[in-house]
Amino acid sequence: MRIRVSWTLVLAVFLAFPRFQRERIEEMGFRKILRMDRMRPDPALTQALRSRWDTEATAFVFPWGHMIPSLEDVSRITGFRVYGRLVSGFTYPCYHVLVEWLLELPVEQRSSLVPRRTLQESLGLYDVARKTGDDEDEHRHRSELASEPGAQADLDLRRFFVLFLGRLLFATRGDAVHYRFLPLLEDLSAVGSYAWGAMFLAHQYDSLGTSERQTSTSGFYPFLQVWAYLHLPALGRGVLERPGLVPIARRWDSPWDSRNLGDQLARLQEMIDSYPHLDVVWQPYLGEGDEGQPWLVQARPYFGRSVWLHALNFVLPLHLHLSQRSLGLRKSVMEFPVRDRFRRPGRSFRGLHDTTDWRERAKEQIDNWERRGKAVKSDASTDDAYLQAYALKYGGKVYKSARHQVDAAGEIASLRALLHLAMQDREAAQRQAEELRMELARVRSTGVDGASSSRTTGGTPSLLEARLAGAVLRAEEAQRHLEERERDLRLTTEHAMDLQGQRDQLQGEVQMIRGERDQLRIRAEAAEA
């Protein structure tokens, strides 16, 4: 219910603004969402999707392969701007000075949050009456907003954007609102130039990576629901009430389901496990045109590309190559993303931290965004190689329902996947140890030749040499540990395969005995006849 209240709060302030303020907001690119009818939340669908999220791949893991919400999905479903300046800059441990300067609101000295009630009262919302049942939430507004352009109007607009961004688009858990967007609101004329849609997608990824016990995602929840309606239509969760409207989220609503959340979730898991996916290429926008959607023209160069997504203090990869079949492309063999294989320069906000310049810290990823990432291409004629590698990595873990428990074959596939990863880790550790040994030998050789950088004048090892020797020992210890883990996994895999072979042999013998029993029964019946 809280997310619906947040939606109503934002709309109440927007509608209370004078016409010139509403036009300013719409010109910044937020007209589509603020003109959208509210949609009923579907927590069962959200939780079913969340349980399929792989945080390493930043993609959903289904029995038929990876799927992922993309920038094209954001642009077509919500109408958000996914092109332009990336949402990056400074984050601070305390926004006390900025809040007093740009918002003229009181805030605690060491706080980065403001109570929602304080913020909404500064915008004239003084009472919230929530009715029961299906009645709308009521918000009464008193006229305290500036009626003409000027400093007070800019102040009202900044306060609105803090509420709009912090409680609707990029909401976090809890009732308070974060000030992390405030530095971007100093120059109101630049607000419309940011790629808010790309930040929105990064925020969705970060929200999906949280606990599966949550029944909703943070932020604008209709996006994920409509994405599922379009990409998984056989689930039958959406109701197409207004065909032809744009953006696409305006067309759909969520049906009322009287069953409890547990029953709904179990049913959805069963349907996903048995989803008719064989030889299917997901192209939900194949028949969609660009009529009435001018934002798609400038957004199109960002479609079909893997790129880093930025959201101030966290940066996440858009691994579109994992779901290239949704682009009409066949999937080829690829190296699946594994934790620590790539450096994530940020993470979602957790408490206080130092002042950080993300344009400097995530410079490589910013350059990647400005180059629009990398286009997704494929020369594969079938998906067989990809699906084989996919099964090797995930095994039976993609089945979540009680009916599709992980069987012996799935266990063996999982063990093989773990063994493959352990071999890769061991080889990487072996290369690292060898490089360190070579570097240590080079430093020692330099010291023997009399170089002062290797040894001190007393002939004792230098600090660099001591550190290298310690690093070599640690690398060799890690290599031994990984070798032991690889050996244990290999033995476990071989043992599981032996057990599977014995099981198959026993099943064959049982089948043969049943056949002989049936033959004897037939002969006995024939003799009696």
Side-chain angles (χ1 to χ4, degrees), residues 163-397:
L163 181 68
F164 173 55
L165 299 174
R167 290 303 303 164
L168 184 58
L169 291 191
F170 312 109
T172 54
R173 297 184 66 185
D175 195 56
V177 183
H178 202 288
Y179 283 126
R180 63 186 181 274
F181 305 106
L182 196 52
L184 304 174
L185 303 178
E186 179 181 353
D187 182 7
L188 289 172
S189 64
V191 172
S193 65
Y194 288 104
W196 295 106
M199 177 179 181
F200 172 80
L201 189 56
H203 186 79
Q204 288 286 301
Y205 288 171
D206 187 64
S207 175
L208 286 167
T210 56
S211 172
E212 292 184 13
R213 290 177 293 180
Q214 296 185 35
T215 57
S216 64
T217 57
S218 301
F220 188 62
Y221 63 88
F223 168 73
L224 196 59
Q225 293 181 196
V226 175
W227 181 89
Y229 301 159
L230 295 172
H231 290 78
L232 304 173
L235 296 182
R237 297 297 288 188
V239 178
L240 185 61
E241 292 190 341
R242 298 168 291 273
L245 293 183
V246 292
I248 293 176
R250 297 181 59 194
R251 307 176 187 178
W252 294 85
D253 201 356
S254 177
W256 175 258
D257 196 330
S258 59
R259 295 173 297 177
N260 64 62
L261 180 61
D263 292 342
Q264 294 183 53
L265 182 59
R267 175 60 178 163
L268 282 171
Q269 296 283 21
E270 291 280 351
M271 294 178 70
I272 291 175
D273 289 344
S274 57
Y275 197 88
H277 60 272
L278 295 177
D279 297 326
V280 173
V281 176
W282 280 269
Q283 290 184 279
Y285 311 120
L286 188 61
E288 289 284 341
D290 296 350
E291 295 80 7
Q293 305 174 84
W295 61 87
L296 287 177
V297 177
Q298 292 174 284
R300 198 172 296 282
Y302 291 85
F303 296 167
R305 307 181 73 88
S306 293
V307 66
W308 284 89
L309 302 174
H310 299 253
L312 279 179
N313 55 324
F314 57 95
V315 184
L316 295 172
L318 168 61
H319 290 310
L320 194 59
H321 66 278
L322 292 179
S323 59
Q324 61 197 38
R325 184 154 47 160
S326 63
L327 305 176
L329 304 175
R330 293 295 182 181
K331 295 181 180 179
S332 57
V333 177
M334 61 191 70
E335 182 179 359
F336 298 117
V338 178
R339 191 180 303 278
D340 297 331
R341 291 284 179 85
F342 54 89
R343 174 178 172 267
R344 291 188 180 183
R347 63 178 184 176
S348 56
F349 186 88
R350 301 290 185 267
L352 300 177
H353 54 76
D354 296 330
T355 298
T356 305
D357 181 1
W358 291 96
R359 290 188 172 275
E360 182 62 32
R361 183 170 180 179
K363 187 176 181 180
E364 179 182 349
Q365 288 74 20
I366 289 176
D367 292 340
N368 172 265
W369 170 262
E370 292 176 348
R371 295 192 307 269
R372 298 173 183 170
K374 183 179 180 181
V376 177
K377 299 179 181 179
S378 174
D379 298 326
S381 57
T382 67
D383 298 325
D384 295 342
Y386 162 80
L387 293 174
Q388 183 178 0
Y390 183 86
L392 185 62
K393 175 174 175 58
Y394 293 104
K397 295 180 181 179

Side-chain angles (χ1 to χ4, degrees), residues 49-68:
L49 293 175
R50 185 192 295 277
S51 68
R52 306 280 173 161
W53 187 254
D54 181 359
T55 55
E56 296 177 1
T58 57
F60 292 116
V61 176
F62 294 116
W64 58 86
H66 292 97
M67 293 184 73
I68 189 171

